[in-house]
Amino acid sequence: MKNYKRYTVTSALPYANGPIHIGHLAGVYVPADIYCRYLRLRGRDVIFIGGSDEHGVPITIKARTEGVSPQQIVDRYHEMIKKSFENFGISFDIYSRTTHKIHYDTASEFFKKLHDKGDFIEKITEQYYDEEVKQFLADRYITGICPYCGNENAYGDQCEKCGTSLSATDLINPKSTLSGSKPVRKETKHWFLPLDNYEHWLRQWILEEHKEWKTNVYGQCKSWLDQGLQPRAVSRDLDWGVPVPLHDAEGKVLYVWFDAPIGYISATKELFENPKSQIPPCLPAGRNPKSDNWELYWKDKETRLVHFIGKDNIVFHCIIFPTMLKAEGSYILPDNVPANEFLNLEGDKISTSRNWAVWLHEYLAEFPGKQDVLRYALTANAPETKDNDFTWADFQARNNNELVAILGNFVNRAMVLTHKYFNGEVPELREETSYEKLIYEESNKIKKNIEHSLENYRFREALKEAMDLARLGNKYLADTEPWKVFERDPERVKTILNVALQISANLSTLIEPFLPFTAEKLRNILNIDKISWEQAAEVNPLKEGHLLNKPELLFNKIEDEAIKTQIDKLFATKKTNELVGAISNPQKPDVSYEDFSKMDIRVGVILTAEKVAKTKKLLKLTIDTGIDKRTVVSGIAEYYKPEEIIGKRVVILVNLQPREIKGIKSQGMILMAENADGSLCFVSPEKDFRNGSEIK
RNA sequence: GGCGUGGUAGCUCAGCUGGUUAGAGCACAUGAUUCAUAAUCAUGAGGUCGGCGGUUCAAGCCCGCCUCACGCUACCA
């Protein structure tokens, strides 16, 4: 493996429209923090970059619905996120935000350079424009009638009623949500990054030169590359974001996915502009940027750039951003992108909108002083290779059976025994037996194992290995039984407790990346300063006669009630969600009888049914409508098997404009009832009426 | 439908280029022990390695088909 002089570590910029939850932590921030703390402990030159991603359409929508400005929204969440990260001990060198001026300048400059080099292609397309407020409308800002299900309030990108993804130009009677006026189509120009031109290079760079990337990352990249890349728009018509830095670009901003990763660069610049004021309180003293030149961290070949992200970000960090960097020309490329999978909560997907999450700020308030317990539980069960499940029962078990019983207990045993026999002074090391030599060897081996695991982004494994040192300590005490030996051979006990305390001191270093608060507490108990990684498990850090502080428990048991409270809270959320789901959609506006009577709805019967090839949802049906026998394509394959529904009596809208679907002309629409969960069922006449009977 | 990733002990996961009786942690059982937050230590039980078929002297690992989970993508009344 190449030896790098310095490290630039980034963690995905959280989107500033909501707080941080355990999914973000387990997937991105905890592993990134462990990695950086480890590197710092080893004295490596490293910067750890974070910040809020504050642009994009969802924030403008949230602002609009709350009747405040986008800036107010992002201010609120940025502060909240920043504070909870600090409290949780995520040791960013800087936690910046994409609304800072330095970011606007950096992103503009970046865009401008690519533009001037002719790296973009320009395309003119037609989009809706609101003449009243003189603005192009993002798809989300347009509502209208869904052409498929008739929902009156479909959004321009998606109909939330039937789940269909739409293009704004599909909507019937489009309406601007800004002014309520009818938008007009207008030509607009946008800039596209021609990813397809970089395909060959990307294939070589990823598929040939980075075979060591995690299989999920590598596989996802290969999938994208094999499907072929398309030019990607890097600008939007919007008034919230970094303005496109060109003369003819009024009302246009950089697409949030273009500007966000540049945020890593602008945050780095900001860090070096004013390093002193930026030191967050949670940063350990031995903080590390060893140069004062930000460019070294982004442009020097001897810098290792690592992006910690969740799996939803793979394409941006492995394909798009590297292409941007490559096109710009002066930047280095990521050496690795250790993307994690997702964390579920008690068996269900974490969901911000459904409030199905453990929110960091709430955890910190409800479990004060227990940052490390969550860090431990999330690391031990990190979704490194597949989606994992967080349960409160597991959280409790990790604390009680591992942190308390193995780590906390070992340290406490060594401390209590030393106070009991030697008044809290580190006793002298007398004659060492082969067992003590074995302990030294094993300790050193454990350290090497942790190093190897961490260098390869295997945090779960590394944590387990760190705990092995506490296990070793417990075993050592059980085997040597100092409480028995003391009566007949106190000299031997001196050696035993000396060694047990050395193990504790080494633990304070080896657990530091994972459990920084506990490491600090342990050092206080032992009354020692930080021990460097290089020294840990190499020399005995404690001097004979060194006075220890009073024993203090590193962890306390978490009782069932505390866990029950959390589970009850989630249960209440679930109940609320069910109630919300049970509320029927409000009645649509009145229609005239005339409008209704335009629809020709008939009783029909299904004659044949077959799956449409290469689709998941579609069945091709032949219906006897009483008028004729016709073909209808229906999206019900997830709920009905073709053979089950032949002969089924159904209700069909026969005069719906025919539409070609997957090359099949569909004449009409089968009426279905939809349940709250989106499942569908047929609507049939109660009696055996003849085909072609009209429904009125 | 296509592509990707995963399906190994009750739970969470290791298993390198195929090679002796498939491993670890937690949970469980038994024993030891009492310095310690009834914590610890030892031993043990527990697996047709998602299913079926194939290649091979030999497959958890290779190939084919199927199935389930998650993601991307297509198509979608």
Side-chain angles (χ1 to χ4, degrees):
Chain A
M1 198 184 287
K2 189 178 165 189
N3 262 326
Y4 287 88
K5 267 194 187 160
R6 65 187 79 72
Y7 293 74
T8 299
V9 178
T10 73
S11 56
L13 306 185
Y15 198 57
N17 72 338
I20 291 292
H21 58 61
I22 53 170
H24 300 124
L25 294 173
V28 179
Y29 305 103
V30 169
D33 187 58
I34 292 170
Y35 190 65
C36 290
R37 283 178 184 271
Y38 163 75
L39 293 174
R40 290 190 195 107
L41 257 180
R42 297 208 66 173
R44 309 261 182 91
D45 186 354
V46 51
I47 54 169
F48 181 18
I49 302 296
S52 302
D53 175 11
E54 307 189 314
H55 294 134
V57 174
I59 281 168
T60 63
I61 290 177
K62 196 173 179 84
R64 186 162 292 277
T65 52
E66 292 188 21
V68 300
S69 68
Q71 189 65 49
Q72 282 172 291
I73 294 285
V74 301
D75 283 351
R76 181 202 308 163
Y77 288 112
H78 172 76
E79 282 313 313
M80 188 167 176
I81 292 169
K82 185 167 192 241
K83 252 172 68 187
S84 57
F85 274 146
E86 270 176 27
N87 187 338
F88 195 55
I90 302 298
S91 60
F92 293 119
D93 285 274
I94 180 167
Y95 187 80
S96 184
R97 54 194 307 191
T98 59
T99 46
H100 277 169
K101 177 168 186 300
I102 195 165
H103 175 67
Y104 276 62
D105 294 345
T106 307
S108 306
E109 204 180 294
F110 199 107
F111 180 95
K112 194 105 195 336
K113 179 154 179 197
L114 295 200
H115 178 265
D116 293 349
K117 284 173 63 191
D119 285 322
F120 294 132
I121 47 182
E122 296 178 5
K123 275 198 218 172
I124 294 178
T125 54
E126 267 199 348
Q127 297 216 339
Y128 277 120
Y129 183 81
D130 186 324
E131 291 182 308
E132 242 172 77
V133 293
K134 300 201 176 358
Q135 248 187 51
F136 277 97
L137 297 167
D139 290 347
R140 273 258 135 182
Y141 280 143
I142 302 165
T143 59
I145 300 170
C146 172
Y148 303 112
C149 72
N151 172 23
E152 306 253 341
N153 293 310
Y155 288 100
D157 55 348
Q158 190 183 23
C159 171
E160 295 190 335
K161 188 88 183 297
C162 64
T164 307
S165 53
L166 301 170
S167 157
T169 46
D170 293 343
L171 292 175
I172 304 163
N173 282 334
K175 221 167 73 181
S176 162
T177 57
L178 299 189
S179 65
S181 66
K182 188 182 155 100
V184 297
R185 289 187 185 211
K186 197 170 161 180
E187 289 191 334
T188 177
K189 180 161 86 176
H190 283 290
W191 291 265
F192 289 72
L193 183 64
L195 293 175
D196 41 332
N197 293 350
Y198 296 83
E199 206 172 307
H200 180 76
W201 166 73
L202 283 165
R203 292 192 85 88
Q204 172 67 24
W205 176 61
I206 299 174
L207 302 183
E208 298 302 324
E209 295 167 28
H210 285 290
K211 290 181 190 287
E212 82 283 7
W213 285 4
K214 288 175 65 171
T215 49
N216 59 339
V217 176
Y218 186 90
Q220 179 74 79
C221 289
K222 186 165 189 311
S223 177
W224 274 86
L225 290 168
D226 287 348
Q227 279 173 39
L229 301 174
Q230 304 294 323
R232 199 150 177 134
V234 296
S235 57
R236 286 286 190 275
D237 291 301
L238 195 67
D239 60 357
W240 179 242
V242 179
V244 171
L246 301 172
H247 295 306
D248 54 347
E250 195 85 356
K252 294 178 196 300
V253 297
L254 303 184
Y255 180 37
V256 62
W257 269 112
F258 185 86
D259 94 71
I262 296 174
Y264 299 141
I265 300 170
S266 18
T268 307
K269 285 186 181 173
E270 188 182 332
L271 170 67
F272 285 92
E273 255 182 17
N274 193 358
K276 283 233 171 67
S277 69
Q278 295 294 343
I279 299 178
C282 61
L283 251 191
R287 165 177 186 277
N288 239 314
K290 289 187 173 156
S291 154
D292 52 5
N293 177 7
W294 75 268
E295 287 188 293
L296 277 179
Y297 292 84
W298 278 96
K299 302 192 171 182
D300 188 282
K301 295 258 179 301
E302 295 189 90
T303 298
R304 169 183 269 165
L305 175 61
V306 181
H307 297 307
F308 282 85
I309 57 168
K311 68 173 160 184
D312 52 330
N313 271 343
I314 290 173
V315 63
F316 293 103
H317 286 81
C318 298
I319 309 262
I320 300 176
F321 188 45
T323 299
M324 288 162 57
L325 295 171
K326 171 79 177 171
E328 204 276 353
S330 67
Y331 286 92
I332 52 170
L333 299 166
D335 176 64
N336 210 318
V337 184
N340 275 332
E341 303 281 309
F342 287 152
L343 188 69
N344 293 326
L345 170 60
E346 300 284 356
D348 282 328
K349 271 185 218 190
I350 291 178
S351 159
T352 301
S353 58
R354 285 177 22 245
N355 192 28
W356 191 253
V358 176
W359 302 105
L360 178 57
H361 63 286
E362 292 185 1
Y363 174 87
L364 292 168
E366 290 166 33
F367 292 93
K370 293 199 188 302
Q371 289 91 335
D372 280 350
V373 179
L374 186 58
R375 290 176 67 109
Y376 184 86
L378 293 178
T379 306
N381 192 25
E384 283 178 13
T385 53
K386 61 167 193 185
D387 290 1
N388 274 348
D389 195 24
F390 176 93
T391 65
W392 282 106
D394 179 72
F395 170 84
Q396 182 187 29
R398 297 274 181 202
N399 180 75
N400 293 357
N401 303 332
E402 300 180 30
L403 290 176
V404 171
I406 296 169
L407 176 55
N409 184 39
F410 166 67
V411 170
N412 192 237
R413 295 171 82 185
M415 288 295 295
V416 168
L417 286 168
T418 305
H419 276 273
K420 182 167 175 182
Y421 297 136
F422 305 111
N423 298 318
E425 274 183 31
V426 177
E428 57 185 308
L429 192 62
R430 307 300 289 261
E431 206 175 321
E432 293 173 52
T433 69
S434 58
Y435 199 169
E436 279 73 46
K437 300 221 165 66
L438 182 71
I439 294 290
Y440 300 145
E441 270 170 37
E442 287 296 312
S443 302
N444 196 260
K445 204 161 108 192
I446 286 168
K447 179 172 109 167
K448 291 283 180 291
N449 287 342
I450 297 173
E451 289 171 9
H452 184 255
S453 297
L454 287 180
E455 303 274 0
N456 289 289
Y457 311 102
R458 293 203 290 259
F459 301 98
R460 211 170 40 201
E461 184 178 87
L463 177 61
K464 196 207 129 225
E465 284 155 354
M467 290 297 284
D468 282 343
L469 185 57
R471 288 191 184 92
L472 181 69
N474 275 319
K475 181 168 166 51
Y476 177 67
L477 287 182
D479 288 345
T480 55
E481 298 181 306
W483 51 91
K484 268 191 186 169
V485 173
F486 189 74
E487 281 177 33
R488 64 168 194 275
D489 188 0
E491 295 302 299
R492 173 67 187 145
V493 173
K494 287 184 178 172
T495 301
I496 294 170
L497 289 184
N498 181 292
V499 170
L501 291 167
Q502 305 294 356
I503 294 174
S504 302
N506 286 328
L507 265 172
S508 76
T509 301
L510 300 195
I511 63 168
E512 165 87 28
F514 313 94
L515 309 171
F517 296 90
T518 305
E520 175 71 25
K521 199 167 169 186
L522 178 51
R523 283 192 295 270
N524 286 338
I525 294 171
L526 292 171
N527 190 24
I528 56 173
D529 292 330
K530 212 170 218 182
I531 301 162
S532 78
W533 189 271
E534 308 312 324
Q535 285 205 319
E538 298 287 350
V539 292
N540 285 340
L542 296 175
K543 298 272 170 291
E544 290 166 14
H546 172 80
L547 191 61
L548 306 170
N549 281 323
K550 286 263 171 287
E552 193 187 330
L553 296 177
L554 290 179
F555 301 99
N556 292 297
K557 285 205 157 191
I558 293 175
E559 302 299 334
D560 293 347
E561 292 93 274
I563 296 304
K564 190 173 175 298
T565 305
Q566 294 301 324
I567 291 175
D568 286 349
K569 195 165 146 187
L570 286 173
F571 187 76
T573 297
K574 200 157 232 179
K575 223 163 172 188
T576 309
N577 287 339
E578 276 166 16
L579 285 176
V580 169
I583 296 169
S584 299
N585 284 329
Q587 183 178 318
K588 295 176 188 172
D590 291 349
V591 295
S592 65
Y593 180 76
E594 196 196 349
D595 280 348
F596 170 71
S597 62
K598 285 180 192 161
M599 288 189 265
D600 191 343
I601 308 173
R602 307 281 183 131
V603 171
V605 71
I606 299 174
L607 299 176
T608 67
E610 60 181 282
K611 194 119 194 268
V612 179
K614 298 185 178 183
T615 67
K616 193 159 64 181
K617 299 182 180 176
L618 300 185
L619 291 186
K620 178 183 169 190
L621 310 173
T622 317
I623 308 289
D624 183 344
T625 61
I627 310 163
D628 54 13
K629 296 181 173 58
R630 61 172 76 187
T631 301
V632 174
V633 175
S634 187
I636 55 175
E638 289 173 299
Y639 308 102
Y640 290 102
K641 290 205 175 95
E643 62 272 18
E644 287 172 0
I645 58 172
I646 291 171
K648 182 91 191 155
R649 206 161 285 277
V650 298
V651 171
I652 174 172
L653 176 63
V654 290
N655 66 338
L656 182 70
Q657 210 170 34
R659 187 185 164 99
E660 183 140 327
I661 297 161
K662 270 283 171 185
I664 303 162
K665 193 172 169 197
S666 178
Q667 300 169 283
M669 175 166 143
I670 311 289
L671 302 190
M672 309 292 294
E674 187 187 28
N675 211 358
D677 62 1
S679 63
L680 301 172
C681 78
F682 288 114
V683 178
S684 323
E686 177 208 357
K687 288 184 182 162
D688 194 15
F689 277 29
R690 68 168 182 84
N691 294 341
S693 302
E694 290 183 48
I695 294 176
K696 22 176 88 173

